[in-house]
Amino acid sequence: SSVHQAGGALEVRRNLGLPPWLVAQLVRPGTPFRRLIEVVSALALPLDLLLARLMAAVPVKLKHLAMMFFFSAVFGLHKALPHFIARRGLSPSLSPEAHALSGMLWAARLVPMTLGRLRLAMSSIAFLYPASAALRDEVVDLPERGVRGIYLHTAPAAVEDP
């Protein structure tokens, strides 16, 4: 399929350019490959819990460095692959980094999402996109209103919060 843009058509590659019959085997419920993915996923649940506990004990900055190292390693491997394998992202015009990320994220969609995995993924936002050390945070705990969390002051220090 293609998406039309002003000045011409832009080629769009769905599902990493994999054949539809293969994608159907991987994502359609009840197929042998899908059942295998679900069994392996269920067997990995205890490892998910261990991973979540280990990650909770590691400082945010160290988790960020580890994740950037991991992506750099994946990207290095990706660059070493032939273009017909590595350039599988949504559009041929994407950067090599975007192609690598597309492949990783497409594969991640195959993993059945449990509540624990969703929580682990949401907790990763803090170390994937760490807040600047210059920002000030404030714990908000108003049980009478049912509010508990952290308020991140993003205004410059010279500006008074409302």
Side-chain angles (χ1 to χ4, degrees):
S1 70
S2 65
V3 174
H4 295 285
Q5 236 182 359
L10 171 68
E11 180 188 340
V12 174
R13 185 183 303 120
R14 297 179 63 199
N15 295 314
L16 303 178
L18 297 172
W21 64 266
L22 178 58
V23 174
Q25 289 296 309
L26 294 170
V27 299
R28 189 173 294 143
T31 64
F33 285 118
R34 189 71 214 161
R35 281 194 214 123
L36 177 64
I37 290 169
E38 290 166 358
V39 167
V40 171
S41 171
L43 292 173
L45 284 175
L47 295 175
D48 290 355
L49 298 173
L50 178 63
L51 179 63
R53 287 198 176 148
L54 288 173
M55 288 179 62
V58 176
V60 170
K61 193 158 193 117
L62 186 58
K63 285 188 270 193
H64 177 74
L65 291 172
M67 194 56 130
M68 293 301 106
F69 174 80
F70 170 74
F71 184 74
S72 295
V74 168
F75 181 58
L77 173 67
H78 212 257
K79 285 192 325 189
L81 294 171
H83 281 270
F84 74 94
I85 295 173
R87 298 290 178 126
R88 307 296 291 182
L90 192 59
S91 169
S93 65
L94 292 175
S95 69
E97 294 89 352
H99 282 285
L101 188 58
S102 293
M104 289 171 39
L105 293 176
W106 193 90
R109 85 179 248 215
L110 299 177
V111 179
M113 188 56 62
T114 63
L115 182 58
R117 287 180 181 149
L118 179 62
R119 287 180 175 155
L120 183 62
M122 294 300 289
S123 72
S124 71
I125 292 171
F127 64 85
L128 289 176
Y129 304 101
S132 165
L135 298 179
R136 185 172 54 91
D137 61 6
E138 171 186 349
V139 175
V140 177
D141 192 8
L142 305 170
E144 68 279 2
R145 292 188 179 179
V147 175
R148 194 178 91 201
I150 297 175
Y151 176 67
L152 187 61
H153 298 264
T154 58
V159 176
E160 187 176 327
D161 285 332

